[in-house]
Amino acid sequence: MNLGQSWYTILTLFGSTLTFYVQTWDEYFTGKLVLGIVSGPVEGVLTLCIVYAITAVKGGGSFWQQSMFHTFGIKKHGFIPNYVHEMPFNQWYMVYGGVVLVFNTVQRYLTPFPNKPPLLLFLRLTNHRPGLNSIYHVLHTNQEMKTHKKVKSHSHPLYTLTPYFLTWIFVPLYLWLQPLILNQHIIPFVFFVGLINAYSVGQIIVAHLTKNPEFPMYNVLTLPLGLAVLDSAGPVLGAWPSALGDGMYQVAFVFLCMGLGVGVYGSFVYDIITTICDYLDIWCLTIKHPYNEEEETKEEKKKKKVK
């Protein structure tokens, strides 16, 4: 969409990572993956395919910076505000997201629901976003189940969302304190934030598959981001000087964090693959024990004799 190195890109990143994190969190506590009528894995992916196809045909992302009304030949009329008439496609893309949000909200209102505690009622009426939908589903399921080995209290699942939202307190704070990164070096930073989310989601998936009652609350990749915010906040607060400053050392730090993220997440993936392969005595991308008809026949005959 050619959103550029701007807050629009960060907002899009927030929505994407929130969906993956919270719906994985939902599945961990309830054992079910719940998607709305308009969901990311279906309509969201189709939307992206359409965007990519149009971008390929038109030859570049600059197409999305054109006024949609001008492109479709819609003339300016008195009842159309000037800023609406000049809005580019990428801003209309944000409007599209808002329309989907309203649609899902209305759909939720049309679905009957029983009397609920105030928090559940609020979430029921506002769970148009995948995140709120998953939060409602977890709390509602836990209330119905009364007891759950993974749930220490009714509010415990909400507490386990802390790692994600802590990260997303650090992200905008750091970019606000370091506009150089936001305006000129956002790509490596986006990769780093994506790796933070991927590592957290991976830990939740492993905990769910292994039926681990302890929710993974710790993500080592959040630590350097938090320290960077602390370092950058010093001069603003007049409390301490910044060790990294505002120039090339901040840029180097972002690339270092991206490399750290690749290393940590890569080693995590490697560890999971090798552990599973060793336990099941298989190889990852090739067949370790190919099918042999003669040997299988002999094994079957041996089993029959034993019986």
Side-chain angles (χ1 to χ4, degrees), residues 166-209:
L166 180 63
T167 300
W168 275 95
I169 290 173
F170 290 154
V171 168
L173 273 177
Y174 179 71
L175 293 176
W176 178 71
L177 291 166
Q178 297 295 336
L180 173 69
I181 303 302
L182 174 64
N183 298 321
Q184 298 183 33
H185 301 281
I186 200 173
I187 294 176
F189 185 77
V190 164
F191 272 108
F192 174 54
V193 175
L195 287 167
I196 293 176
N197 190 72
Y199 185 43
S200 291
V201 169
Q203 288 180 305
I204 299 172
I205 291 172
V206 171
H208 172 60
L209 293 177

Side-chain angles (χ1 to χ4, degrees), residues 53-256:
I54 294 175
T55 303
V57 171
K58 292 299 181 180
S62 59
F63 171 80
W64 302 108
Q65 291 182 308
Q66 302 179 86
S67 166
M68 187 180 76
F69 280 30
H70 285 301
T71 304
F72 290 145
I74 301 175
K75 297 181 180 180
K76 177 71 171 66
H77 298 282
F79 61 88
I80 302 177
N82 188 57
Y83 72 89
V84 173
H85 194 263
E86 299 298 326
M87 274 178 64
F89 278 101
N90 51 20
Q91 291 187 18
W92 280 109
Y93 182 76
M94 299 290 183
V95 173
Y96 160 73
V99 170
V100 172
L101 181 148
V102 172
F103 170 78
N104 282 335
T105 303
V106 173
Q107 180 264 326
R108 294 298 179 186
Y109 268 112
L110 294 178
T111 305
F113 53 88
N115 293 327
K116 301 289 180 186
L119 177 59
L120 285 180
L121 181 60
F122 168 75
L123 291 172
R124 185 69 177 88
L125 297 177
T126 58
N127 64 0
H128 42 270
R129 294 296 297 167
L132 290 179
N133 187 25
S134 297
I135 292 171
Y136 167 80
H137 183 232
V138 169
L139 296 182
H140 175 65
T141 301
N142 289 333
Q143 186 190 44
E144 288 185 340
M145 292 171 66
K146 302 298 182 185
T147 59
H148 196 290
K149 64 180 181 178
K150 295 179 179 178
V151 181
K152 299 175 182 178
S153 66
H154 186 66
S155 60
H156 173 67
L158 291 179
Y159 167 72
T160 59
L161 289 172
T162 304
Y164 178 84
F165 289 105
L166 180 63
T167 300
W168 275 95
I169 290 173
F170 290 154
V171 168
L173 273 177
Y174 179 71
L175 293 176
W176 178 71
L177 291 166
Q178 297 295 336
L180 173 69
I181 303 302
L182 174 64
N183 298 321
Q184 298 183 33
H185 301 281
I186 200 173
I187 294 176
F189 185 77
V190 164
F191 272 108
F192 174 54
V193 175
L195 287 167
I196 293 176
N197 190 72
Y199 185 43
S200 291
V201 169
Q203 288 180 305
I204 299 172
I205 291 172
V206 171
H208 172 60
L209 293 177
T210 57
K211 302 186 185 303
N212 187 349
E214 294 297 323
F215 186 88
M217 294 289 291
Y218 180 66
N219 187 334
V220 68
L221 295 176
T222 307
L223 181 60
L225 183 59
L227 292 175
V229 171
L230 192 65
D231 177 73
S232 300
V236 175
L237 299 174
W240 55 82
S242 171
L244 296 174
D246 299 321
M248 60 183 237
Y249 289 111
Q250 288 290 346
V251 178
F253 171 77
V254 169
F255 277 94
L256 177 66

Side-chain angles (χ1 to χ4, degrees), residues 260-280:
L260 176 66
V262 171
V264 170
Y265 184 65
S267 62
F268 168 74
V269 171
Y270 176 80
D271 188 39
I272 296 300
I273 292 174
T274 53
T275 301
I276 293 174
C277 288
D278 290 344
Y279 181 80
L280 298 177

